[in-house]
Amino acid sequence: MAPNENSATELTALVVDDDRQLRMIHQRMLNKVGVKNQAVENGKEAVQIHCSGQGFDLILMDKEMPLMNGIEATKELRSMGICSTIVGVSSHTKEKQIQEFMEAGLDDYLVKPLNLAKLRSILDKIM
Amino acid sequence: MGSGGRLTGNRLQGVVGGRRGCNGAEELARAGACEVTGEWKSRSPVKTGLPLWMLGLGADLLWADMNRLLAFLFHQGVLDEQFLQLQQLQDETSPNFVSEVVNIYFHESEKLLRNLRGLLMEREFSDYKKMGIHLNQLMGSSSSIGAKRVTNVCLAFRAATEHNNRPGCLRALEMLEHEYCYLKNKLHELFQIEQQRALAAGVRYPVQNN
């Protein structure tokens, strides 16, 4: 059963998105379901935070970001041996674009907007 | 601030700044002050001269006003259920969450709209890919606050960029600027009513110091 705001979990998550508004919303959603979380602004920072020794159960990865996009970051994290659940979150709906992102190493892909129901379904799979 | 749009059936005929079909860029520039006249009027009270104990009634009336405006915006397809998601994320630990997020959205969206107009106005414009990137960003942020009509126009705009259709892009941009302006007006109105309601509700129960 997915956690709710009344039961803090031991799950941790990383939000990777260059959009400040979306970082705010996604972090708030994670807080609401009791998941401790951090946020970074691009794929490069996502890789760096893992290089510093931090790890997360869940990574919400945007696709288009400056410096290092979601596809590059996902490939890099997987090549580093990161086994976290990585979920792509993007506005793209074309099969070819989704497939390209999935082939980078995603566990799942969600079309924006993210909502609490979608988030809970992802967390259900992790727990 | 003015409100609404003149409705005929399901079509909104926007009258911006008193002139129909005004330039989208001008419309955007006046986004904070543009008037879209229409059938819905706020009954937000100003100075009433009412005694304090009666201001509690004002809070209830304002609450009803808020709900009517929201219902109107949902019915017109301006907002969708994602806006309710945002409201669910607001609580006593983050009491201004919705307005904070929406204000960031306004700030970032206006930058993106300026970028889109700047690209399309270039004499030798050909960077449809860059335009697509800006649009994806605007779509993502618009859909995340429940701005349904803005998101839908972005979809049509994106389709025009994928076909390298410059006239189509220009038409879509005009429509996008108009929809964005309307949304901004309406959300400002909603937040204004919410602020007044919170104020009136606060006055309803004055603190007794013994």
Side-chain angles (χ1 to χ4, degrees), chain B residues 1-201:
Chain B
M1 185 180 291
S3 62
R6 198 169 296 121
L7 300 171
T8 55
N10 287 324
R11 281 186 58 236
L12 175 70
Q13 295 175 358
V15 179
V16 179
R19 293 180 297 116
R20 204 178 285 274
C22 74
N23 177 277
E26 288 171 16
E27 189 173 318
L28 184 62
R30 290 197 304 272
C34 70
E35 296 175 353
V36 182
T37 60
E39 65 177 47
W40 194 90
K41 296 281 182 199
S42 167
R43 288 186 286 109
S44 311
V46 282
K47 289 187 180 176
T48 63
L50 289 173
L52 276 178
W53 66 271
M54 283 191 76
L55 286 175
L57 296 174
D60 292 335
L61 286 173
L62 288 165
W63 180 254
D65 272 354
M66 255 176 66
N67 286 332
R68 265 197 293 275
L69 175 53
L70 266 176
F72 173 78
L73 293 174
F74 274 95
H75 179 69
Q76 292 303 314
V78 176
L79 294 176
D80 64 22
E81 61 277 0
Q82 186 67 17
F83 190 78
L84 299 177
Q85 282 282 307
L86 280 194
Q87 291 185 316
Q88 280 182 40
L89 297 176
Q90 181 164 293
D91 59 23
E92 57 280 354
T93 65
S94 195
N96 301 312
F97 179 75
V98 177
S99 59
E100 283 169 10
V101 165
V102 170
N103 281 327
I104 294 171
Y105 168 74
F106 289 151
H107 184 252
E108 297 300 315
S109 298
E110 280 162 33
K111 273 197 283 185
L112 288 170
L113 287 167
R114 275 195 295 273
N115 290 345
L116 285 166
R117 184 159 277 279
L119 279 171
L120 271 172
M121 291 298 112
E122 280 174 17
R123 203 177 213 173
E124 304 291 331
F125 165 72
S126 62
D127 203 344
Y128 287 97
K129 189 179 175 188
K130 192 169 186 180
M131 204 151 56
I133 291 172
H134 289 322
L135 275 172
N136 278 336
Q137 195 169 348
L138 186 56
M139 259 179 62
S141 55
S142 299
S143 66
S144 297
I145 66 154
K148 186 176 175 186
R149 285 211 310 230
V150 170
T151 304
N152 287 344
V153 177
C154 286
L155 269 169
F157 197 159
R158 188 166 73 176
T161 64
E162 286 162 1
H163 290 97
N164 291 3
N165 177 0
R166 190 170 180 180
C169 288
L170 277 164
R171 282 193 295 274
L173 178 62
E174 292 282 336
M175 178 67 84
L176 185 57
E177 287 166 341
H178 176 84
E179 288 294 344
Y180 169 80
C181 182
Y182 183 69
L183 172 75
K184 186 172 180 180
N185 271 345
K186 284 299 175 197
L187 288 179
H188 271 320
E189 197 164 351
L190 187 71
F191 294 145
Q192 210 172 24
I193 299 171
E194 194 173 20
Q195 270 183 337
Q196 288 169 348
R197 187 193 67 83
L199 200 61

Side-chain angles (χ1 to χ4, degrees), chain A residues 12 17 24 37 44 54 59 64 75 84 88-89 114 124 126:
Chain A
T12 56
D17 203 311
M24 203 167 153
N37 61 87
K44 188 173 178 185
Q54 291 193 67
I59 301 172
E64 279 167 1
K75 284 181 182 171
S84 312
V89 185
L114 188 63
D124 266 341
I126 298 174

